[in-house]
């Protein structure tokens, strides 16, 4: 008996002896991660509020008081009001189409386990691994031949297509956790397939819909490469290309360039602050089923 108890006590002592070191290592890692994430934002804020005559270090806050002139310059000279409107239109319509098409396409994939559906699911999963820029040249050529360059509809359709694989995958995985008994009861009561999907399935998808909305809206709002090529006129540019163009033109006014970057960051940052809990619920929704 003594021989079996002794190793257990030794193991407990080892755990207690190494536990403070592990906790310290975790805190050090967390602090370093926070510093790494916050430092660029801090530098952007201090630079954006400095007047153009302030030549102090980027690490120091404005010595003679902050100014909003950089934000006014970015807003007027960079035409960020147009860019915000264009970005909002593209983001809203792309997100809505992604949710509607993604949920509709995922329903048969989740409920009918046929060879064709399994193949389609694997194909959709494989699309997640295709770099979007690899199809840029043929895509740009096709849009040019159709006369759809510099139009909202072209970018909305392209970005919706790029976001659909992830949306279909998330919807499919979540629908598989839903009990089919509710749909069977609805069919017994005389509900058709469309009625069952709209009234029974869709209300149960609120957590994953929130996740898809946040991921899609964030990706579309921050999208740069496709937007730069498809919408290359200043009056139809979205926020990311407009801010980048203004940033490149303001080589001598770093404060205005930093202000433009902050203006582009604020909408998505506010959305994250208000929708973070819904994103977490949607990401973990399948775990408690």
């Amino acid at each position: 008996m003594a021989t079996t108890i002794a190793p257990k006590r030794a193991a407990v002592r080892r755990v207690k002896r190494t536990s403070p070191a592990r906790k310290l290592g975790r805190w050090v890692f967390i602090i370093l991660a926070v510093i790494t994430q916050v430092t660029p934002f801090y530098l952007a804020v201090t630079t954006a509020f400095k007047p153009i005559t302030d030549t102090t270090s980027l690490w120091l806050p404005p010595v003679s008081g902050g100014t909003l002139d950089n934000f006014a310059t970015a807003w007027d000279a960079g035409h960020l009001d147009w860019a915000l409107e264009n970005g909002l239109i593209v983001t809203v319509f792309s997100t809505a189409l992604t949710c509607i098409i993604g949920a509709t396409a995922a329903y048969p994939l989740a409920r009918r386990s046929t060879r064709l559906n399994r193949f389609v699911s694997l194909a959709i999963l494989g699309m997640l691994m295709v770099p979007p820029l690899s199809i840029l040249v043929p895509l740009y050529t096709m849009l040019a031949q159709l006369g759809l360059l510099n139009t909202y509809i072209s970018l909305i359709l392209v970005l919706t297509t790029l976001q659909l694989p992830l949306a279909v995958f998330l919807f499919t995985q979540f629908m598989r956790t839903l009990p089919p008994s509710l749909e069977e009861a609805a069919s017994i009561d005389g509900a058709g397939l469309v009625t069952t999907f709209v009234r029974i399935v869709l209300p149960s998808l609120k957590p994953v819909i929130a996740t898809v909305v946040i991921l899609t809206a964030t990706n579309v709002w921050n999208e740069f490469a496709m937007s730069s090529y498809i919408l290359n006129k200043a009056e139809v540019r979205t926020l990311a290309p407009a801010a980048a163009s203004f940033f490149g033109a303001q080589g001598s006014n770093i404060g205005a360039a930093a202000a433009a970057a902050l203006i582009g960051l604020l909408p998505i940052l506010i959305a994250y602050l208000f929708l973070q809990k819904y994103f977490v619920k949607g990401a973990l929704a399948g775990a408690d089923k």
Side-chain angles (χ1 to χ4, degrees):
M1 181 68 66
T3 56
T4 57
I5 295 177
K8 292 182 179 180
R9 290 180 178 177
V12 172
R13 289 174 184 172
R14 279 198 300 270
V15 171
K16 290 182 178 179
R17 188 165 53 249
T18 57
S19 179
R22 289 182 180 179
K23 289 182 179 179
L24 179 61
R26 291 173 184 173
W27 278 109
V28 170
F29 176 78
I30 292 173
I31 293 174
L32 290 176
V34 171
I35 292 175
T36 303
Q37 296 292 327
V38 172
T39 297
F41 183 73
Y42 168 78
L43 293 176
V45 171
T46 57
T47 305
F49 284 97
K50 284 183 179 181
I52 194 172
T53 56
D54 192 338
T55 58
T56 58
S57 173
L58 295 176
W59 296 94
L60 297 177
V63 178
S64 59
T67 179
L68 296 177
D69 294 341
N70 293 325
F71 291 91
T73 302
W75 187 264
D76 296 333
H79 302 293
L80 297 187
D81 51 347
W82 298 352
L84 284 171
E85 181 180 353
N86 297 335
L88 184 63
I89 293 173
V90 172
T91 301
V92 170
F93 281 95
S94 298
T95 304
L97 285 175
T98 300
C99 290
I100 295 172
I101 299 175
T104 306
Y107 186 53
L109 297 178
R111 284 296 183 246
R112 297 181 180 177
S113 182
T114 63
R115 289 184 177 180
L116 178 60
N117 284 351
R118 288 195 293 269
F119 174 78
V120 172
S121 298
L122 290 176
I124 292 175
L125 188 61
M127 292 178 189
L128 293 173
M129 306 175 188
V130 178
L133 291 181
S134 63
I135 61 173
L136 177 59
V137 174
L139 181 64
Y140 183 88
T141 304
M142 182 184 68
L143 293 176
Q145 292 175 350
L146 295 175
L148 293 178
L149 293 177
N150 295 307
T151 61
Y152 293 136
I153 186 64
S154 60
L155 185 60
I156 290 172
L157 292 177
V158 169
L159 295 183
T160 300
T161 303
L162 294 177
Q163 299 302 317
L164 271 177
L166 179 60
V168 173
F169 174 76
L170 292 175
F171 278 121
T172 302
Q173 297 303 313
F174 186 84
M175 286 182 187
R176 287 173 178 170
T177 65
L178 298 177
S181 56
L182 296 176
E183 301 161 53
E184 294 172 356
S187 63
I188 292 175
D189 292 338
L193 184 62
V194 177
T195 303
T196 302
F197 176 71
V198 173
R199 294 189 177 183
I200 304 299
V201 178
L202 278 184
S204 304
L205 301 180
K206 290 180 180 179
V208 71
I209 288 176
T211 302
V212 172
V213 166
I214 294 173
L215 290 176
T216 303
T218 303
N219 293 336
V220 172
W221 183 266
N222 294 328
E223 206 283 325
F224 175 77
M226 290 292 181
S227 303
S228 300
Y229 287 97
I230 296 175
L231 305 180
N232 48 40
K233 290 185 179 180
E235 59 269 19
V236 294
R237 281 177 180 166
T238 53
L239 190 58
S245 176
F246 179 76
F247 190 92
Q250 296 295 319
S252 60
N253 191 354
I254 302 300
L262 287 179
I263 292 174
L265 172 67
L266 281 178
I268 204 65
L269 180 63
I270 293 173
Y272 260 127
L273 292 177
F274 282 95
L275 300 176
Q276 181 182 10
K277 61 179 181 179
Y278 300 105
F279 176 78
V280 175
K281 287 181 180 179
L284 301 177
D288 58 351
K289 294 295 179 181

